Amino acid sequence: MAKLKDKRREKMSVATEIDRLEERRARCRDNLERAEFKSRKEELSDQDKQYLEDEMTIINERVLKLDKELKTLRGENRKNMLLSVALLVVGAFFYYVFFYNEVDS
């Protein structure tokens, strides 16, 4: 199962993966806000409070994990962008050297 997920992720672009993770993080934050609101507004038994606190802890851990993955993907996206700019500069340089200089001769 994990190998199938990895293969699917390999086919996705970095930008698509970033968007997907940001959506998941937003959903987790919404769930966390709902749980916090529920804990403040409702009178809960000790067992329900403990369950809600455990749920909030799990959601916080998920958010931190997603933030870490997003940081990694954004770094990879930055590297890809720099590589693209470098290739554009090299291409422009070769165009200038081989084509623009021939017109001047």
Side-chain angles (χ1 to χ4, degrees), residues 9 13 22 27 30 37 40 44 51 55 92 102 104:
R9 283 186 182 170
S13 71
E22 284 178 344
R27 283 194 306 263
D30 288 342
F37 181 78
R40 285 181 303 204
L44 300 172
Y51 174 76
E55 184 179 343
E102 286 181 9
D104 291 342

Side-chain angles (χ1 to χ4, degrees), residues 40-96:
R40 285 181 303 204
K41 295 295 180 183
E42 294 182 17
E43 287 293 325
L44 300 172
S45 67
D46 290 339
Q47 184 181 7
D48 289 339
K49 283 181 184 178
Q50 184 61 41
Y51 174 76
L52 199 55
E53 287 176 9
D54 291 344
E55 184 179 343
M56 289 168 54
T57 302
I58 291 169
I59 293 172
N60 275 326
E61 289 172 0
R62 284 182 188 162
V63 168
L64 291 175
K65 182 181 174 185
L66 289 171
D67 286 340
K68 185 178 177 182
E69 286 183 49
L70 279 168
K71 183 179 178 182
T72 303
L73 284 172
R74 286 183 178 134
E76 187 176 326
N77 198 30
R78 201 171 302 120
K79 284 187 226 175
N80 289 342
M81 187 266 314
L82 288 173
L83 179 62
S84 297
V85 170
L87 288 173
L88 178 68
V89 168
V90 168
F93 175 74
F94 280 120
Y95 175 79
Y96 176 76

Side-chain angles (χ1 to χ4, degrees), residues 6-30:
D6 291 339
K7 284 184 181 181
R8 248 187 287 146
R9 283 186 182 170
E10 286 177 6
K11 293 180 182 180
M12 268 191 219
S13 71
V14 175
T16 305
E17 185 72 11
I18 288 172
D19 290 341
R20 187 183 69 80
L21 288 177
E22 284 178 344
E23 288 173 10
R24 284 182 60 198
R25 186 178 71 176
R27 283 194 306 263
C28 284
R29 289 197 188 274
D30 288 342

